[in-house]
């Protein structure tokens, strides 16, 4: 592996683009920061499309379905189809349907929001929990008798659940004490960066369950191999002709590396130039540039 | 260290009792199972008192204050005073007051129930969170702007919180990102055994915070040294003349061993005889007996 090569000239952009047919993009910190589109992102994406490149947007956000997530792009003026988006909720649904071949008569107990429910429903997978309003309440004395392993539940799937509570955690734990129950997580990000601050991430939803059940979930988000397998199965790209673009070394760049893809780090998010030039840097991208919009700016 | 010695005769009971002046008791699995008093427990405790032994009841339960916990004893017909009980909520309050000398102008952010609030109030320590009804709600869009580190908060104290939610976790995480904020847990039990099942324990409340903040709390419950230091400071017993009685090797017996106390395992709770006689047994008590009530039954 060579690198990191900093891309700063027209020639370097042309050389970079000639290497890849398909591009996988992380979104937050690459395309936008929160609700603000980064400079020349739209122009760069249009340019890549005009040159016949295929664009795939990969996100660990499980609270929105792919369809709901397109609205975020539209609001910022970017054209996209749901088919070009690969979210961790969709990843989990595909994993259950295609890899596990989850039984039609079993249900998934969801700790999470509507994004997971919509993707499971799209794949014809039965589920309970999720946004069910009857579970958005305190645990009551009679629940301690009632709650137990439910033989109809074959999987606990945990994502970011803004309505997490002790009742749902208890239900999930009971089912995880049955060794046959699958334990999946849409992703295990420890934090959720928003509003310039770090809030608890999806990984903190399953942390109580990991501790109490002594089990580890299979993660279907970056940087897991399970997600990469699902992406590859869907888009059938040639890894050496595909580049993963992201702002985080430990998720995006590692995800690309583990999948034998090319990697491009942009410096508009979490990691800085000093992180990859440090002597003890563990994860180093093949290429990096100041911002994604440099592709457009350097070419014109 | 010798042991394990199984106590099965009157002579062995007399020899055992002659070694100790003070007895520390775990409660659930030793005195009672759930709401059922174990056989001859009352008679045994009366006998020990009649022989001039001092009794101290040590519990990791943080949901009740010592005073509230006496009611559990009374309901089962056991005489006890709040001063004889040492709960993890009290342990945390004592630690803050005596060991840390927590500043009077700072507040503790509590993830937990009224037991913690009452013990903090008794020690004159200011707190927020806990059972505050205004925090028992979903996180709202405006909270993402509002929530942040609060300079008046000097400590996050986490116990079993049956009303845990994303809002409180977010507030705690913001304050834990300030390195000066103390991070305490009443205890870090992974599970909470009740109704013959394992529910999420107090340790699962701080698990999300441990993951997201990359910090470990100081635990004030068994088997932590911090709790033992607090117990010793309060009761000023002679360790070699004191015996820790419990049903769990990894909490009770380890707690006694680490404090250089004598140890007695009773087989009415979590661990069985085979656990201590196994060749690879890591934690072995000095003494063990079938049930605590054997002390009374073997002597009469």
């Amino acid at each position: 592996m060579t690198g990191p090569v900093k891309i700063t000239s027209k020639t370097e952009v042309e050389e970079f683009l000639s290497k890849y047919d398909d591009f996988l993009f992380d979104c937050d910190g690459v395309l936008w920061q929160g609700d603000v589109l980064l400079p020349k992102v739209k122009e760069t994406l249009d340019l890549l499309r005009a040159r016949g490149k295929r664009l795939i947007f990969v996100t660990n956000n499980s609270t929105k379905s792919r369809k709901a997530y397109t609205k975020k792009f539209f609001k910022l003026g970017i054209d996209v189809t749901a088919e070009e988006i690969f979210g961790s909720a969709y990843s989990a649904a595909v994993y259950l349907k295609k890899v596990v071949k989850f039984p039609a008569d079993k249900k998934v107990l969801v700790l999470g929001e509507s994004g997971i429910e919509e993707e499971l429903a799209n794949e014809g997978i039965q589920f309970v929990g999720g946004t069910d309003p009857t579970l958005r309440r305190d645990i009551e004395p009679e629940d301690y008798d009632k709650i137990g392993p439910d033989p109809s539940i074959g999987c606990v799937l945990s994502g970011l659940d803004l309505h997490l509570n002790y009742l749902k955690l208890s239900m999930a734990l009971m089912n995880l004490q049955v060794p046959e129950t699958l334990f999946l997580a849409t992703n295990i990000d420890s934090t959720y960066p928003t509003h310039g601050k770090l809030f608890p991430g999806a990984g903190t939803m399953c942390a109580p369950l990991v501790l109490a059940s002594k089990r580890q979930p299979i993660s279907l988000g970056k940087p897991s191999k399970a997600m990469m397998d699902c992406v590859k199965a869907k888009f059938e790209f040639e890894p050496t002709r595909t580049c993963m673009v992201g702002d985080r070394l430990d998720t995006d760049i590692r995800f690309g590396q583990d999948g034998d893809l090319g990697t491009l780090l942009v410096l508009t998010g979490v990691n800085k130039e000093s992180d990859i030039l440090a002597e003890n840097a563990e994860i180093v991208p093949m290429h990096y540039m100041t911002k994604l919009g440099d592709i457009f700016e350097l070419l014109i």
Side-chain angles (χ1 to χ4, degrees), chain A residues 92-110 120 123-128 150-157 180-184:
Chain A
V94 168
Y95 182 83
L96 281 167
K97 186 75 175 185
K98 303 280 166 63
V99 180
V100 173
K101 302 189 194 312
F102 192 69
D105 62 337
K106 291 274 186 179
K107 290 172 194 158
V108 176
L109 174 60
V110 175
L120 289 177
E123 299 294 327
I125 297 168
Q126 295 191 74
F127 60 86
V128 293
D150 176 346
S152 76
I153 289 173
C155 173
V156 170
L157 170 55
E180 290 73 30
T181 308
L182 275 175
F183 187 14
L184 304 184

mmCIF file of all heavy atoms in Angstrom, chain A residues 92-110 120 123-128 150-157 180-184:
data_model
loop_
_atom_site.group_PDB
_atom_site.id
_atom_site.type_symbol
_atom_site.label_atom_id
_atom_site.label_comp_id
_atom_site.label_asym_id
_atom_site.label_seq_id
_atom_site.Cartn_x
_atom_site.Cartn_y
_atom_site.Cartn_z
ATOM 1 N N ALA A 92 -28.729 -3.976 7.888
ATOM 2 C CA ALA A 92 -29.196 -4.998 8.839
ATOM 3 C C ALA A 92 -30.332 -5.818 8.230
ATOM 4 O O ALA A 92 -30.376 -7.050 8.377
ATOM 5 C CB ALA A 92 -29.652 -4.327 10.131
ATOM 6 N N ALA A 93 -31.245 -5.144 7.520
ATOM 7 C CA ALA A 93 -32.377 -5.843 6.901
ATOM 8 C C ALA A 93 -31.882 -6.806 5.820
ATOM 9 O O ALA A 93 -32.335 -7.954 5.728
ATOM 10 C CB ALA A 93 -33.358 -4.829 6.317
ATOM 11 N N VAL A 94 -30.927 -6.343 4.997
ATOM 12 C CA VAL A 94 -30.358 -7.192 3.941
ATOM 13 C C VAL A 94 -29.616 -8.379 4.564
ATOM 14 O O VAL A 94 -29.737 -9.516 4.095
ATOM 15 C CB VAL A 94 -29.386 -6.370 3.050
ATOM 16 C CG1 VAL A 94 -28.560 -7.277 2.156
ATOM 17 C CG2 VAL A 94 -30.176 -5.358 2.230
ATOM 18 N N TYR A 95 -28.884 -8.106 5.632
ATOM 19 C CA TYR A 95 -28.135 -9.184 6.309
ATOM 20 C C TYR A 95 -29.096 -10.261 6.812
ATOM 21 O O TYR A 95 -28.867 -11.462 6.609
ATOM 22 C CB TYR A 95 -27.336 -8.588 7.465
ATOM 23 C CG TYR A 95 -26.475 -9.592 8.208
ATOM 24 C CD1 TYR A 95 -25.217 -9.942 7.724
ATOM 25 C CD2 TYR A 95 -26.914 -10.176 9.393
ATOM 26 C CE1 TYR A 95 -24.420 -10.857 8.389
ATOM 27 C CE2 TYR A 95 -26.123 -11.094 10.069
ATOM 28 C CZ TYR A 95 -24.868 -11.433 9.573
ATOM 29 O OH TYR A 95 -24.090 -12.338 10.239
ATOM 30 N N LEU A 96 -30.195 -9.829 7.432
ATOM 31 C CA LEU A 96 -31.170 -10.792 7.953
ATOM 32 C C LEU A 96 -31.802 -11.594 6.810
ATOM 33 O O LEU A 96 -31.955 -12.811 6.893
ATOM 34 C CB LEU A 96 -32.259 -10.064 8.756
ATOM 35 C CG LEU A 96 -31.867 -9.662 10.168
ATOM 36 C CD1 LEU A 96 -32.875 -8.685 10.758
ATOM 37 C CD2 LEU A 96 -31.760 -10.905 11.070
ATOM 38 N N LYS A 97 -32.172 -10.892 5.742
ATOM 39 C CA LYS A 97 -32.890 -11.536 4.636
ATOM 40 C C LYS A 97 -31.972 -12.445 3.810
ATOM 41 O O LYS A 97 -32.307 -13.607 3.559
ATOM 42 C CB LYS A 97 -33.466 -10.432 3.733
ATOM 43 C CG LYS A 97 -34.354 -10.926 2.615
ATOM 44 C CD LYS A 97 -35.708 -11.334 3.151
ATOM 45 C CE LYS A 97 -36.650 -11.727 2.020
ATOM 46 N NZ LYS A 97 -37.981 -11.990 2.564
ATOM 47 N N LYS A 98 -30.822 -11.908 3.408
ATOM 48 C CA LYS A 98 -29.977 -12.606 2.442
ATOM 49 C C LYS A 98 -28.924 -13.497 3.092
ATOM 50 O O LYS A 98 -28.663 -14.597 2.617
ATOM 51 C CB LYS A 98 -29.263 -11.589 1.525
ATOM 52 C CG LYS A 98 -30.192 -10.655 0.776
ATOM 53 C CD LYS A 98 -30.796 -11.306 -0.457
ATOM 54 C CE LYS A 98 -31.968 -10.508 -1.020
ATOM 55 N NZ LYS A 98 -31.615 -9.173 -1.487
ATOM 56 N N VAL A 99 -28.290 -13.020 4.144
ATOM 57 C CA VAL A 99 -27.182 -13.779 4.738
ATOM 58 C C VAL A 99 -27.716 -14.803 5.739
ATOM 59 O O VAL A 99 -27.423 -15.994 5.648
ATOM 60 C CB VAL A 99 -26.148 -12.838 5.411
ATOM 61 C CG1 VAL A 99 -24.992 -13.635 6.019
ATOM 62 C CG2 VAL A 99 -25.629 -11.825 4.402
ATOM 63 N N VAL A 100 -28.527 -14.333 6.682
ATOM 64 C CA VAL A 100 -29.040 -15.223 7.736
ATOM 65 C C VAL A 100 -30.233 -16.040 7.251
ATOM 66 O O VAL A 100 -30.508 -17.115 7.766
ATOM 67 C CB VAL A 100 -29.453 -14.382 8.970
ATOM 68 C CG1 VAL A 100 -30.145 -15.239 10.012
ATOM 69 C CG2 VAL A 100 -28.241 -13.688 9.568
ATOM 70 N N LYS A 101 -30.928 -15.527 6.239
ATOM 71 C CA LYS A 101 -32.205 -16.116 5.788
ATOM 72 C C LYS A 101 -33.132 -16.297 6.995
ATOM 73 O O LYS A 101 -33.551 -17.399 7.349
ATOM 74 C CB LYS A 101 -31.965 -17.432 5.046
ATOM 75 C CG LYS A 101 -31.048 -17.255 3.830
ATOM 76 C CD LYS A 101 -30.970 -18.470 2.962
ATOM 77 C CE LYS A 101 -29.806 -18.383 1.968
ATOM 78 N NZ LYS A 101 -29.704 -17.109 1.233
ATOM 79 N N PHE A 102 -33.400 -15.143 7.624
ATOM 80 C CA PHE A 102 -34.186 -15.091 8.863
ATOM 81 C C PHE A 102 -35.561 -15.719 8.640
ATOM 82 O O PHE A 102 -36.273 -15.354 7.693
ATOM 83 C CB PHE A 102 -34.326 -13.626 9.297
ATOM 84 C CG PHE A 102 -34.867 -13.444 10.686
ATOM 85 C CD1 PHE A 102 -34.106 -13.806 11.787
ATOM 86 C CD2 PHE A 102 -36.127 -12.912 10.897
ATOM 87 C CE1 PHE A 102 -34.596 -13.639 13.077
ATOM 88 C CE2 PHE A 102 -36.625 -12.739 12.184
ATOM 89 C CZ PHE A 102 -35.850 -13.105 13.265
ATOM 90 N N PRO A 103 -35.972 -16.659 9.511
ATOM 91 C CA PRO A 103 -37.232 -17.383 9.305
ATOM 92 C C PRO A 103 -38.443 -16.450 9.249
ATOM 93 O O PRO A 103 -38.547 -15.504 10.039
ATOM 94 C CB PRO A 103 -37.327 -18.292 10.541
ATOM 95 C CG PRO A 103 -35.962 -18.337 11.122
ATOM 96 C CD PRO A 103 -35.271 -17.075 10.730
ATOM 97 N N ALA A 104 -39.351 -16.735 8.338
ATOM 98 C CA ALA A 104 -40.528 -15.880 8.114
ATOM 99 C C ALA A 104 -41.456 -15.872 9.330
ATOM 100 O O ALA A 104 -42.202 -14.910 9.543
ATOM 101 C CB ALA A 104 -41.283 -16.340 6.877
ATOM 102 N N ASP A 105 -41.397 -16.930 10.150
ATOM 103 C CA ASP A 105 -42.307 -16.999 11.304
ATOM 104 C C ASP A 105 -41.686 -16.411 12.571
ATOM 105 O O ASP A 105 -42.311 -16.430 13.632
ATOM 106 C CB ASP A 105 -42.734 -18.454 11.549
ATOM 107 C CG ASP A 105 -41.564 -19.361 11.883
ATOM 108 O OD1 ASP A 105 -40.410 -19.004 11.511
ATOM 109 O OD2 ASP A 105 -41.777 -20.410 12.507
ATOM 110 N N LYS A 106 -40.475 -15.879 12.479
ATOM 111 C CA LYS A 106 -39.833 -15.268 13.647
ATOM 112 C C LYS A 106 -39.881 -13.747 13.536
ATOM 113 O O LYS A 106 -40.023 -13.190 12.442
ATOM 114 C CB LYS A 106 -38.372 -15.730 13.737
ATOM 115 C CG LYS A 106 -38.220 -17.211 14.105
ATOM 116 C CD LYS A 106 -38.231 -17.399 15.603
ATOM 117 C CE LYS A 106 -37.926 -18.849 15.975
ATOM 118 N NZ LYS A 106 -37.900 -19.058 17.418
ATOM 119 N N LYS A 107 -39.726 -13.100 14.685
ATOM 120 C CA LYS A 107 -39.754 -11.635 14.721
ATOM 121 C C LYS A 107 -38.427 -11.075 15.218
ATOM 122 O O LYS A 107 -37.720 -11.736 15.975
ATOM 123 C CB LYS A 107 -40.861 -11.158 15.667
ATOM 124 C CG LYS A 107 -42.256 -11.405 15.153
ATOM 125 C CD LYS A 107 -43.269 -11.079 16.233
ATOM 126 C CE LYS A 107 -44.630 -11.631 15.867
ATOM 127 N NZ LYS A 107 -45.496 -11.813 17.035
ATOM 128 N N VAL A 108 -38.174 -9.844 14.813
ATOM 129 C CA VAL A 108 -37.008 -9.101 15.299
ATOM 130 C C VAL A 108 -37.478 -8.142 16.393
ATOM 131 O O VAL A 108 -38.457 -7.418 16.188
ATOM 132 C CB VAL A 108 -36.341 -8.310 14.155
ATOM 133 C CG1 VAL A 108 -35.197 -7.452 14.675
ATOM 134 C CG2 VAL A 108 -35.861 -9.253 13.063
ATOM 135 N N LEU A 109 -36.818 -8.167 17.544
ATOM 136 C CA LEU A 109 -37.099 -7.175 18.588
ATOM 137 C C LEU A 109 -36.193 -5.975 18.318
ATOM 138 O O LEU A 109 -34.965 -6.094 18.384
ATOM 139 C CB LEU A 109 -36.831 -7.760 19.977
ATOM 140 C CG LEU A 109 -36.945 -6.792 21.157
ATOM 141 C CD1 LEU A 109 -38.343 -6.177 21.253
ATOM 142 C CD2 LEU A 109 -36.607 -7.494 22.472
ATOM 143 N N VAL A 110 -36.812 -4.838 17.984
ATOM 144 C CA VAL A 110 -36.058 -3.656 17.561
ATOM 145 C C VAL A 110 -35.877 -2.671 18.716
ATOM 146 O O VAL A 110 -36.854 -2.283 19.370
ATOM 147 C CB VAL A 110 -36.781 -2.932 16.394
ATOM 148 C CG1 VAL A 110 -36.057 -1.638 16.034
ATOM 149 C CG2 VAL A 110 -36.902 -3.853 15.189
ATOM 150 N N LEU A 120 -36.889 -3.107 7.563
ATOM 151 C CA LEU A 120 -37.293 -4.491 7.832
ATOM 152 C C LEU A 120 -38.596 -4.800 7.087
ATOM 153 O O LEU A 120 -38.725 -5.853 6.450
ATOM 154 C CB LEU A 120 -37.484 -4.723 9.337
ATOM 155 C CG LEU A 120 -36.221 -4.737 10.197
ATOM 156 C CD1 LEU A 120 -36.585 -4.901 11.672
ATOM 157 C CD2 LEU A 120 -35.262 -5.856 9.783
ATOM 158 N N GLU A 123 -38.230 -5.571 3.484
ATOM 159 C CA GLU A 123 -37.687 -6.908 3.204
ATOM 160 C C GLU A 123 -38.641 -8.003 3.675
ATOM 161 O O GLU A 123 -38.298 -9.187 3.634
ATOM 162 C CB GLU A 123 -36.318 -7.087 3.874
ATOM 163 C CG GLU A 123 -35.243 -6.112 3.410
ATOM 164 C CD GLU A 123 -34.860 -6.302 1.941
ATOM 165 O OE1 GLU A 123 -34.895 -7.456 1.465
ATOM 166 O OE2 GLU A 123 -34.535 -5.296 1.280
ATOM 167 N N GLY A 124 -39.822 -7.594 4.177
ATOM 168 C CA GLY A 124 -40.818 -8.581 4.611
ATOM 169 C C GLY A 124 -40.459 -9.287 5.910
ATOM 170 O O GLY A 124 -40.880 -10.422 6.138
ATOM 171 N N ILE A 125 -39.685 -8.606 6.753
ATOM 172 C CA ILE A 125 -39.286 -9.212 8.037
ATOM 173 C C ILE A 125 -40.182 -8.676 9.156
ATOM 174 O O ILE A 125 -40.373 -7.471 9.285
ATOM 175 C CB ILE A 125 -37.793 -8.906 8.335
ATOM 176 C CG1 ILE A 125 -36.914 -9.552 7.264
ATOM 177 C CG2 ILE A 125 -37.411 -9.401 9.722
ATOM 178 C CD1 ILE A 125 -35.471 -9.088 7.288
ATOM 179 N N GLN A 126 -40.740 -9.593 9.947
ATOM 180 C CA GLN A 126 -41.612 -9.199 11.056
ATOM 181 C C GLN A 126 -40.798 -8.617 12.214
ATOM 182 O O GLN A 126 -39.690 -9.085 12.490
ATOM 183 C CB GLN A 126 -42.369 -10.414 11.583
ATOM 184 C CG GLN A 126 -43.345 -11.045 10.620
ATOM 185 C CD GLN A 126 -44.197 -12.058 11.362
ATOM 186 O OE1 GLN A 126 -45.097 -11.701 12.127
ATOM 187 N NE2 GLN A 126 -43.886 -13.326 11.166
ATOM 188 N N PHE A 127 -41.375 -7.648 12.900
ATOM 189 C CA PHE A 127 -40.666 -7.062 14.042
ATOM 190 C C PHE A 127 -41.634 -6.600 15.120
ATOM 191 O O PHE A 127 -42.815 -6.397 14.866
ATOM 192 C CB PHE A 127 -39.787 -5.880 13.595
ATOM 193 C CG PHE A 127 -40.562 -4.770 12.958
ATOM 194 C CD1 PHE A 127 -41.141 -3.765 13.726
ATOM 195 C CD2 PHE A 127 -40.741 -4.733 11.583
ATOM 196 C CE1 PHE A 127 -41.874 -2.748 13.139
ATOM 197 C CE2 PHE A 127 -41.482 -3.716 10.982
ATOM 198 C CZ PHE A 127 -42.040 -2.725 11.757
ATOM 199 N N VAL A 128 -41.105 -6.450 16.329
ATOM 200 C CA VAL A 128 -41.828 -5.841 17.458
ATOM 201 C C VAL A 128 -40.897 -4.808 18.085
ATOM 202 O O VAL A 128 -39.726 -4.730 17.731
ATOM 203 C CB VAL A 128 -42.249 -6.891 18.521
ATOM 204 C CG1 VAL A 128 -43.302 -7.829 17.953
ATOM 205 C CG2 VAL A 128 -41.033 -7.674 19.010
ATOM 206 N N ASP A 150 -39.250 -14.544 24.657
ATOM 207 C CA ASP A 150 -40.422 -14.749 23.810
ATOM 208 C C ASP A 150 -39.998 -15.671 22.661
ATOM 209 O O ASP A 150 -39.174 -15.291 21.834
ATOM 210 C CB ASP A 150 -40.876 -13.374 23.299
ATOM 211 C CG ASP A 150 -42.034 -13.464 22.322
ATOM 212 O OD1 ASP A 150 -42.320 -14.576 21.832
ATOM 213 O OD2 ASP A 150 -42.642 -12.409 22.047
ATOM 214 N N PRO A 151 -40.563 -16.881 22.610
ATOM 215 C CA PRO A 151 -40.125 -17.851 21.595
ATOM 216 C C PRO A 151 -40.337 -17.369 20.164
ATOM 217 O O PRO A 151 -39.708 -17.889 19.242
ATOM 218 C CB PRO A 151 -40.992 -19.085 21.865
ATOM 219 C CG PRO A 151 -41.680 -18.848 23.149
ATOM 220 C CD PRO A 151 -41.651 -17.397 23.454
ATOM 221 N N SER A 152 -41.193 -16.360 19.975
ATOM 222 C CA SER A 152 -41.421 -15.873 18.608
ATOM 223 C C SER A 152 -40.319 -14.910 18.163
ATOM 224 O O SER A 152 -40.248 -14.534 16.987
ATOM 225 C CB SER A 152 -42.792 -15.184 18.511
ATOM 226 O OG SER A 152 -42.740 -13.898 19.098
ATOM 227 N N ILE A 153 -39.460 -14.505 19.095
ATOM 228 C CA ILE A 153 -38.391 -13.553 18.760
ATOM 229 C C ILE A 153 -37.095 -14.306 18.445
ATOM 230 O O ILE A 153 -36.622 -15.106 19.255
ATOM 231 C CB ILE A 153 -38.187 -12.534 19.895
ATOM 232 C CG1 ILE A 153 -39.385 -11.582 19.919
ATOM 233 C CG2 ILE A 153 -36.874 -11.765 19.731
ATOM 234 C CD1 ILE A 153 -39.412 -10.625 21.073
ATOM 235 N N GLY A 154 -36.550 -14.039 17.268
ATOM 236 C CA GLY A 154 -35.333 -14.734 16.847
ATOM 237 C C GLY A 154 -34.123 -13.835 16.788
ATOM 238 O O GLY A 154 -33.006 -14.298 16.530
ATOM 239 N N CYS A 155 -34.332 -12.535 17.016
ATOM 240 C CA CYS A 155 -33.220 -11.588 16.874
ATOM 241 C C CYS A 155 -33.485 -10.318 17.678
ATOM 242 O O CYS A 155 -34.622 -9.831 17.697
ATOM 243 C CB CYS A 155 -33.058 -11.230 15.382
ATOM 244 S SG CYS A 155 -31.870 -9.926 15.052
ATOM 245 N N VAL A 156 -32.464 -9.815 18.339
ATOM 246 C CA VAL A 156 -32.509 -8.476 18.932
ATOM 247 C C VAL A 156 -31.640 -7.586 18.045
ATOM 248 O O VAL A 156 -30.473 -7.903 17.814
ATOM 249 C CB VAL A 156 -31.981 -8.472 20.378
ATOM 250 C CG1 VAL A 156 -31.807 -7.049 20.890
ATOM 251 C CG2 VAL A 156 -32.908 -9.264 21.293
ATOM 252 N N LEU A 157 -32.231 -6.521 17.516
ATOM 253 C CA LEU A 157 -31.510 -5.597 16.632
ATOM 254 C C LEU A 157 -31.496 -4.212 17.277
ATOM 255 O O LEU A 157 -32.548 -3.616 17.505
ATOM 256 C CB LEU A 157 -32.190 -5.539 15.254
ATOM 257 C CG LEU A 157 -31.713 -4.449 14.286
ATOM 258 C CD1 LEU A 157 -30.213 -4.511 14.047
ATOM 259 C CD2 LEU A 157 -32.478 -4.547 12.961
ATOM 260 N N GLU A 180 -29.775 -18.942 21.235
ATOM 261 C CA GLU A 180 -30.145 -19.007 19.815
ATOM 262 C C GLU A 180 -30.574 -17.641 19.268
ATOM 263 O O GLU A 180 -30.632 -17.451 18.049
ATOM 264 C CB GLU A 180 -31.304 -19.995 19.607
ATOM 265 C CG GLU A 180 -30.924 -21.450 19.813
ATOM 266 C CD GLU A 180 -30.716 -21.794 21.281
ATOM 267 O OE1 GLU A 180 -31.363 -21.165 22.147
ATOM 268 O OE2 GLU A 180 -29.879 -22.667 21.578
ATOM 269 N N THR A 181 -30.924 -16.697 20.140
ATOM 270 C CA THR A 181 -31.359 -15.378 19.664
ATOM 271 C C THR A 181 -30.181 -14.636 19.046
ATOM 272 O O THR A 181 -29.152 -14.458 19.696
ATOM 273 C CB THR A 181 -31.936 -14.534 20.827
ATOM 274 O OG1 THR A 181 -32.937 -15.294 21.499
ATOM 275 C CG2 THR A 181 -32.523 -13.237 20.320
ATOM 276 N N LEU A 182 -30.335 -14.215 17.800
ATOM 277 C CA LEU A 182 -29.311 -13.409 17.135
ATOM 278 C C LEU A 182 -29.176 -12.055 17.824
ATOM 279 O O LEU A 182 -30.172 -11.494 18.294
ATOM 280 C CB LEU A 182 -29.722 -13.126 15.693
ATOM 281 C CG LEU A 182 -29.407 -14.142 14.613
ATOM 282 C CD1 LEU A 182 -30.036 -13.653 13.304
ATOM 283 C CD2 LEU A 182 -27.899 -14.254 14.438
ATOM 284 N N PHE A 183 -27.974 -11.518 17.841
ATOM 285 C CA PHE A 183 -27.743 -10.192 18.420
ATOM 286 C C PHE A 183 -27.069 -9.334 17.354
ATOM 287 O O PHE A 183 -25.905 -9.548 17.020
ATOM 288 C CB PHE A 183 -26.871 -10.331 19.670
ATOM 289 C CG PHE A 183 -26.680 -9.063 20.473
ATOM 290 C CD1 PHE A 183 -27.472 -7.934 20.279
ATOM 291 C CD2 PHE A 183 -25.701 -9.014 21.461
ATOM 292 C CE1 PHE A 183 -27.290 -6.783 21.032
ATOM 293 C CE2 PHE A 183 -25.504 -7.864 22.225
ATOM 294 C CZ PHE A 183 -26.296 -6.750 22.001
ATOM 295 N N LEU A 184 -27.814 -8.390 16.804
ATOM 296 C CA LEU A 184 -27.293 -7.507 15.756
ATOM 297 C C LEU A 184 -27.351 -6.055 16.207
ATOM 298 O O LEU A 184 -28.207 -5.672 17.005
ATOM 299 C CB LEU A 184 -28.116 -7.630 14.466
ATOM 300 C CG LEU A 184 -28.292 -9.006 13.828
ATOM 301 C CD1 LEU A 184 -29.056 -8.859 12.505
ATOM 302 C CD2 LEU A 184 -26.950 -9.675 13.580
#
